[in-house]
């Protein structure tokens, strides 16, 4: 295995002895979940050898170890986006580290634009499939044989058992939880009206600038994935206004309570 992975792990091992069972990536404006964690240690990305450094507004850039609803977790508060200039390997480096830390499944969250006319701002959508519009695949280049195969299967990228669990927990909570397809775009510009129509036409329900590279790398390692979009803006013909990062953050801030409650109850059911 590449020395860099081992050096990151060695540093993390010197900071915490917690053995996380679940990994969580917190999306733009969704950081409130952190307030529900019994934190054991918080580690700034910039102190972890070989970790990229997060730059985007609304991201804090910390790896948090602790317990969420009794479950030992490692949480990325702030992720790395391709649009910040990182390579696809850098964007997904922490996912490999979380797997090496021993997690059994990973939960990914994102702020996303809704193109399904049944959606409203603030709604949650469980991702059951995706469409990849990033210009490069994070697995391009020499295959990391220790992690997985050259040509990983993507026929069921989003874990059906976790989807079923999320749906049943949402139902118990009386929480509206859509299901749909997430389209990953590199950004950082938002889409034009014609592009939103195009993406809706080819099967997207939400559009965002993250998650897809992380899912590919997680599936390369056979890590079960559950991913959720928070709808922060609508891009539906006739209901489409200007987009801004600030509005995305504000809408995420309002919706994050539901996302947090859902994750907390799902984690309570994991073995
Ligand atoms: N497009 C791309 N990324 C996004 C959007 C969007 O409309 N909303 C939040 N992230």
């Amino acid at each position: 295995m590449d020395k860099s992975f081992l050096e990151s792990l060695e540093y993390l091992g010197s900071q915490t002895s917690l053995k996380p069972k679940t990994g969580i990536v917190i999306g733009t404006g969704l950081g409130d979940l952190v307030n529900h964690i019994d934190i054991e240690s918080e580690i700034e990305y910039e102190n972890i050898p070989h970790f990229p450094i997060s730059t985007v507004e609304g991201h804090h850039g910390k790896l948090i170890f602790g317990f969420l609803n009794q479950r030992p977790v490692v949480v990325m508060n702030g992720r790395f986006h391709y649009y910040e200039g990182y390579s696809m390997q850098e964007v997904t480096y922490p996912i490999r580290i979380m797997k090496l830390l021993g997690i059994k499944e990973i939960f990914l969250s994102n702020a996303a634009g809704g193109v399904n006319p049944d959606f409203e701002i603030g709604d949650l959508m469980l991702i059951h499939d995706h469409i990849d519009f990033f210009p490069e695949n994070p697995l391009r280049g020499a295959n990391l044989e220790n992690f997985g195969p050259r040509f990983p299967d993507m026929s069921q990228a989003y874990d059906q058992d976790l989807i079923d669990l999320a749906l049943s927990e949402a139902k118990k909570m009386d929480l509206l939880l859509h299901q749909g397809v997430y389209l990953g775009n590199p950004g950082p510009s938002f889409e034009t009206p014609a592009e939103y129509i195009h993406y809706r036409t080819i099967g997207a329900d939400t559009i965002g600038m993250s998650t897809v590279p992380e899912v590919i790398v997680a599936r390369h390692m056979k890590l079960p994935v559950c991913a959720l979009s928070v709808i922060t803006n609508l891009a539906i013909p006739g209901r489409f206004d200007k987009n801004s990062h600030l509005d995305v953050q504000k809408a995420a801030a309002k919706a994050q309570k539901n996302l947090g409650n859902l994750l907390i109850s799902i984690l309570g059911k994991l073995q």
Side-chain angles (χ1 to χ4, degrees), residues 127-185:
I127 301 174
H128 65 220
D129 207 347
H130 74 222
I131 300 173
D132 183 2
F133 264 79
F134 285 88
E136 199 190 298
N137 190 295
L139 305 180
R140 180 169 176 265
N143 184 45
L144 301 179
E145 289 290 334
N146 290 329
F147 285 105
R150 171 74 293 188
F151 300 107
D153 176 48
M154 292 293 281
S155 61
Q156 175 84 64
Y158 298 83
D159 188 79
Q160 193 58 49
D161 290 342
L162 292 174
I163 288 176
D164 292 344
L165 177 60
L167 289 172
S168 77
E169 289 306 301
K171 197 166 175 194
K172 272 189 230 159
M173 294 163 64
D174 210 11
L175 175 72
L176 175 65
L177 181 59
H178 303 290
Q179 275 195 75
V181 173
Y182 175 87
L183 186 144
N185 241 352

Side-chain angles (χ1 to χ4, degrees), residues 111-114 182-183 185 189-191 196 207-209 230 232-233 235 243 248:
Y182 175 87
L183 186 144
N185 241 352
S189 50
F190 287 106
E191 293 70 26
Y196 281 122
I207 301 171
M209 303 175 196
V230 173
T232 54
N233 53 294
N243 282 323
V248 165

